[in-house]
Amino acid sequence: MASQKILVPYNFTAYDGKALDFVIRTFAGNKDVEITLFNAFTPIPEIDMRESPIMEKLKNNLSQLSKKNIEQEKELKAVKQNLMQSGFSENQVSYIFQPRKRDIAAGIISLANNHNYNIVVLNHKPGKLSHFFTGNVFSKVVNGLKDTAVCIVS
């Protein structure tokens, strides 16, 4: 069992790439580390499709969303491969790709607590006005975790 379990929430942005680069620079080559990439996607709702043009259009939109989720899982697997090419072994890197059940911060906190992660690596995108009203993920995670190091990469 690794002495350092690292959770890296990943949402396919340039800021997530910076967080991943930090993980590679800091932990590559360390055999006592486990890294888990985490992405919570928006689940596709089940809708009863009746014979109508509006529902047919909705069905096409849902199909596109489903394809997007499949492509994002492939991208997450590619990120895992990137970590392996950067000095981590296959048994050191895993990923969790699951439907979002609550807000992202609550999902990260729950995952970190339930699976005993020592470190959570988050990115920070400065300057969003909406964060003033809703709070941002990193501040919710920092306030919600105890006995866990939270690295904020900006």
Side-chain angles (χ1 to χ4, degrees):
M1 185 170 151
S3 68
Q4 295 293 324
K5 288 182 68 174
I6 303 167
L7 179 63
V8 183
Y10 196 84
N11 201 33
F12 313 103
T13 68
Y15 294 99
D16 294 322
K18 287 182 179 183
L20 200 62
D21 289 342
F22 167 79
V23 169
I24 291 168
R25 283 191 319 270
T26 308
F27 299 104
N30 185 342
K31 301 298 181 199
D32 206 22
V33 168
E34 280 181 25
I35 298 170
T36 302
L37 300 166
F38 170 63
N39 180 271
F41 61 90
T42 303
I44 308 300
E46 295 290 327
I47 298 177
D48 183 24
M49 300 294 176
R50 304 273 187 220
E51 296 294 325
S52 82
I54 293 172
M55 294 310 257
E56 189 62 34
K57 184 175 181 179
L58 181 60
K59 181 179 176 183
N60 289 337
N61 288 342
L62 292 176
S63 176
Q64 291 299 320
L65 287 173
S66 180
K67 287 178 185 175
K68 181 180 177 185
N69 286 346
I70 290 168
E71 293 203 11
Q72 284 187 330
E73 185 171 17
K74 287 180 185 176
E75 288 180 45
L76 200 58
K77 288 178 183 179
V79 172
K80 177 183 173 183
Q81 289 297 320
N82 180 32
L83 284 169
M84 290 167 37
Q85 292 171 352
S86 299
F88 298 99
S89 67
E90 185 170 3
N91 63 348
Q92 287 181 283
V93 183
S94 62
Y95 72 90
I96 298 171
F97 186 73
Q98 68 185 23
R100 181 183 304 173
K101 296 176 183 135
R102 48 186 116 161
D103 71 66
I104 296 294
I108 293 168
I109 293 166
S110 174
L111 195 60
N113 286 331
N114 293 338
H115 295 280
N116 299 317
Y117 286 97
N118 309 94
I119 301 170
V120 177
V121 179
L122 300 172
N123 70 67
H124 172 58
K125 182 178 180 181
K128 283 190 117 183
L129 182 59
S130 64
H131 291 169
F132 179 74
F133 299 104
T134 62
N136 48 28
V137 172
F138 85 84
S139 65
K140 289 178 182 179
V141 170
V142 167
N143 290 323
L145 287 176
K146 303 292 181 241
D147 299 322
T148 304
V150 179
C151 298
I152 310 295
V153 179
S154 61

